Amino acid sequence: MSFNLAVLAVAVLMLIIGAVIGFFVRKSAYENSLKQAGKSAESIIATAKKNAASAKKEALIEAREESHKYRQQQEDDLRERRKELQRQENRMLQREDTLDRKDSSLDQREHSLEKREEKIDSTEQKLENQQKEVISTLEKQQQKLEEIAGMTHEQARDFLLNQLNDELVQEKAQLIRASEESAQQDAKKKAKQLVVEAIQQSAADTVSESTVTTVALPNEEMKGRIIGREGRNIRTIESLTGIDVIIDDTPQAVALSGFDPIRREIARLTLEKLISDGRIHPGRIEEMVDKSRKEMDTRIRELGEQTVYDLGIHNMNPDLIKIVGRLNFRTSYGQNILSHSIEVAKIAGTMAAELGEDETLAKRAGLLHDIGKALDHEIEGSHVEIGVDVTTKYKEPKVVVNTIAASHGDVEPTSMIAMLVAAADAISAARPGARSESMENYIHRLEKLETIANSYDGVDHCYAIQAGREIRIMVKPDKISDNQSTILARKIKNQIEKELEYPGHIKVTVIRETRKIAYAK
């Protein structure tokens, strides 16, 4: 036991001795490393001081060089500024010299002007004196002339003015006659040739305007079936088509009345289908109305396509072609609008070809010039405004749009084609039998013609003849001379063109007759 404690004590002692020795060894190594670190730090500090001194010298050298450059630049700038100031000073001196010379010149001119003013004042004084003398002389001469002529100054002036007015009236009438004769000689032959060639290549039927369509019945019993129990069938037809069905005493016939030709045609097709089928009741009526509407749409489209194809017009919007087909069911003064538009297109195309214009474009403009009439009962506005909007919407050429806008004179035509279409429109509307006219409008036009003629002084009486296409005016020969008759005819013609609307043209004839009768006894 004691031995083990001794060994343990020796071991502990050895450990303590080892720890002490290790401590001193580490301490010696630490001191050596501190000495080496101090030496390396001193070396680094010395090197850094050397580098800092070198960098300081280089920075001082660069700063001196920069300062020198800056100083040199500033000196150069100062020298340039001095030179510029010297140049400006020289220019100012030159301007001062110039102003001095101008000042001297102005003084001389002022002196010269003063002399001229003095001369002008003296000249004016002399002229005033001379003017007074002339006025006095003229007054004396005028008094002598009045004594010699036996007329005052005012009487002589009125005499001369009346004589000059008569001469001017005569010259004016001669100029009017000469200009009319010259224009007729140059243009009448060519215009007639163009118009005749255009018209003879176009022919259109006349369709009477109507608001009633008659449908034939196989027997009288069919009327009762159309009316239906308590009138339910006829009410259904009228409500679905918007057309009045008139059943009267006319044997084996029913009348369809309405202002919309397309609706009237749909009602006619519906009735014919119902009569053919034999089954007439509200359900069947509704089915036939739908079928007739579809057939009508197909027919309208085919009419438009056929019209465009016949005229040789291409690249037209399908919706616009359908609107063209609708024109077949519109009339104006009894004239079918589609037939009228085709006729206008052909006439305008022929005249355009003769004059070297685009024939196809002229036909296109002629066909579409009344396109607004196909929609004027559905859209507010005049048919001209509607036509312009529709053709603009479907991107028609500007010439076509302007032709429609200028067709009634609201807008100035911008192309030859627009004027040709207007002429073709007038030709188509004015040809005999093209349009019907109500008796009320006819009488109103005749009365207006005679009222216009009677409103002028010197007119004795007048007569509207040839269905209002000519007016003959008898004038008083003691108040209207031959030359004044020419002027009167032109004035009445201008007023008729301004105030009346009429197809074709109206001939104005002024008659002045003087009779002298003597009896030998």
Side-chain angles (χ1 to χ4, degrees):
M1 181 70 180
S2 60
F3 177 77
N4 290 334
L5 290 171
V7 173
L8 181 61
V10 172
V12 169
L13 181 64
M14 290 298 289
L15 286 172
I16 293 169
I17 293 169
V20 170
I21 293 169
F23 170 75
F24 284 108
V25 171
R26 285 195 298 274
K27 181 178 180 183
S28 175
Y30 177 71
E31 288 176 354
N32 291 333
S33 64
L34 283 176
K35 289 179 181 179
Q36 290 177 358
K39 290 178 181 180
S40 61
E42 289 175 357
S43 175
I44 291 169
I45 290 169
T47 304
K49 287 181 178 179
K50 290 179 182 180
N51 292 335
S54 176
K56 183 177 180 182
K57 289 179 181 179
E58 291 177 358
L60 287 172
I61 293 169
E62 289 179 359
R64 287 172 183 171
E65 290 177 354
E66 289 293 331
S67 176
H68 180 70
K69 289 180 181 178
Y70 180 74
R71 185 180 301 144
Q72 188 68 30
Q73 185 178 358
Q74 293 296 322
E75 289 176 356
D76 293 340
D77 291 342
L78 286 173
R79 281 195 295 273
E80 289 295 328
R81 290 181 181 179
R82 289 194 188 99
K83 290 180 181 179
E84 181 64 25
L85 288 172
Q86 187 64 37
R87 287 194 293 270
Q88 290 181 359
E89 186 176 358
N90 293 335
R91 284 197 296 269
M92 292 296 295
L93 292 173
Q94 290 177 358
R95 288 182 181 178
E96 288 179 359
D97 294 338
T98 303
L99 289 174
D100 290 339
R101 289 195 296 272
K102 287 184 178 180
D103 191 16
S104 177
S105 176
L106 287 173
D107 291 338
Q108 293 177 359
R109 289 184 181 180
E110 186 177 358
H111 184 65
S112 176
L113 287 173
E114 289 177 355
K115 289 183 178 179
R116 288 184 182 180
E117 286 179 358
E118 292 177 357
K119 289 182 180 179
I120 290 170
D121 291 338
S122 62
T123 305
E124 285 181 352
Q125 187 64 35
K126 291 179 181 179
L127 288 174
E128 287 179 359
N129 296 332
Q130 291 177 0
Q131 185 178 7
K132 291 179 181 178
E133 293 176 0
V134 170
I135 291 171
S136 177
T137 304
L138 287 174
E139 289 176 353
K140 293 178 181 179
Q141 290 178 352
Q142 184 175 347
Q143 290 176 358
K144 290 182 179 179
L145 286 172
E146 289 178 355
E147 292 175 359
I148 295 170
M151 291 188 296
T152 63
H153 174 72
E154 289 76 10
Q155 291 173 344
R157 182 184 60 188
D158 294 339
F159 175 77
L160 291 173
L161 288 175
N162 291 332
Q163 185 177 1
L164 179 61
N165 186 42
D166 294 337
E167 291 176 358
L168 289 175
V169 168
Q170 183 176 359
E171 291 180 4
K172 187 176 179 181
Q174 290 175 353
L175 287 173
I176 291 173
R177 285 195 294 267
S179 62
E180 288 178 350
E181 291 174 0
S182 177
Q184 289 174 357
Q185 290 174 0
D186 294 338
K188 193 172 183 180
K189 185 176 179 180
K190 183 63 178 177
K192 280 185 176 180
Q193 181 181 355
L194 284 175
V195 172
V196 169
E197 288 179 357
I199 292 174
Q200 73 181 15
Q201 296 182 26
S202 173
D205 297 331
T206 300
V207 179
S208 298
E209 184 173 5
S210 176
T211 59
V212 177
T213 300
T214 302
V215 179
L217 303 178
N219 50 59
E220 287 295 311
E221 180 188 356
M222 188 59 68
K223 290 183 179 179
R225 298 180 63 184
I226 291 173
I227 295 172
R229 184 181 301 173
E230 298 179 355
R232 64 176 187 173
N233 291 343
I234 193 171
R235 286 197 301 272
T236 303
I237 295 172
E238 289 179 344
S239 64
L240 290 175
T241 61
I243 297 298
D244 295 330
V245 181
I246 302 173
I247 299 177
D248 52 17
D249 296 334
T250 306
Q252 296 183 358
V254 172
L256 303 175
S257 177
F259 290 101
D260 190 334
I262 295 178
R263 289 185 179 180
R264 205 165 57 243
E265 185 67 12
I266 292 172
R268 184 186 68 80
L269 293 173
T270 301
L271 266 183
E272 289 179 353
K273 284 180 172 59
L274 290 170
I275 293 168
S276 176
D277 183 69
R279 292 175 294 172
I280 305 177
H281 54 81
R284 188 64 175 170
I285 291 170
E286 186 174 355
E287 181 182 346
M288 289 301 176
V289 168
D290 291 339
K291 188 175 181 181
S292 298
R293 282 203 179 100
K294 293 177 181 178
E295 290 181 2
M296 195 65 182
D297 288 341
T298 303
R299 183 180 173 188
I300 288 171
R301 186 177 64 256
E302 289 175 351
L303 281 170
E305 291 173 350
Q306 187 63 39
T307 300
V308 172
Y309 176 78
D310 291 342
L311 292 175
I313 299 172
H314 307 287
N315 301 325
M316 186 177 287
N317 189 285
D319 293 336
L320 188 58
I321 292 175
K322 190 174 180 181
I323 296 174
V324 170
R326 291 171 65 95
L327 290 175
N328 186 62
F329 301 95
R330 297 290 294 169
T331 56
S332 177
Y333 295 100
Q335 188 177 29
N336 182 276
I337 299 298
L338 182 58
S339 300
H340 164 67
S341 298
I342 294 172
E343 187 175 7
V344 171
K346 290 180 178 178
I347 294 173
T350 303
M351 290 193 292
E354 291 291 332
L355 295 173
E357 296 290 331
D358 189 337
E359 181 180 358
T360 304
L361 187 58
K363 287 183 179 180
R364 194 183 194 101
L367 177 65
L368 298 176
H369 81 284
D370 271 345
I371 194 67
K373 290 184 178 180
L375 304 170
D376 59 357
H377 60 290
E378 299 177 0
I379 303 174
E380 292 186 2
S382 67
H383 73 273
V384 174
E385 295 172 350
I386 297 171
V388 170
D389 293 340
V390 168
T391 50
T392 303
K393 175 183 176 182
Y394 293 116
K395 298 180 180 180
E396 284 295 306
K398 292 183 179 179
V399 172
V400 175
V401 177
N402 175 255
T403 299
I404 297 171
S407 61
H408 283 216
D410 299 330
V411 176
E412 289 295 325
T414 58
S415 64
M416 176 65 73
I417 288 176
M419 291 184 278
L420 291 177
V421 171
D425 185 22
I427 292 169
S428 174
R431 64 179 176 81
R435 292 187 173 184
S436 62
E437 187 175 17
S438 66
M439 181 62 68
E440 182 181 356
N441 293 336
Y442 169 73
I443 294 173
H444 175 72
R445 189 173 77 236
L446 297 186
E447 291 177 348
K448 185 64 175 177
L449 278 174
E450 294 180 355
T451 301
I452 290 173
N454 286 322
S455 65
Y456 289 88
D457 293 334
V459 175
D460 190 6
H461 48 272
C462 60
Y463 303 98
I465 60 177
Q466 294 186 6
R469 296 188 179 275
E470 181 180 356
I471 181 167
R472 294 187 179 178
I473 303 155
M474 313 296 179
V475 298
K476 299 175 182 178
D478 56 337
K479 292 187 176 181
I480 303 292
S481 64
D482 289 336
N483 292 327
Q484 290 173 335
S485 298
T486 304
I487 298 172
L488 178 63
R490 191 173 185 84
K491 288 181 178 179
I492 294 174
K493 183 264 296 184
N494 292 336
Q495 189 172 354
I496 290 172
E497 291 176 347
K498 182 179 179 181
E499 297 183 6
L500 287 184
E501 293 183 2
Y502 50 89
H505 50 267
I506 297 175
K507 181 180 179 181
V508 179
T509 304
V510 176
I511 301 172
R512 178 180 182 271
E513 184 180 11
T514 304
R515 295 186 182 183
K516 304 295 183 183
I517 301 174
Y519 294 95
K521 297 181 181 179

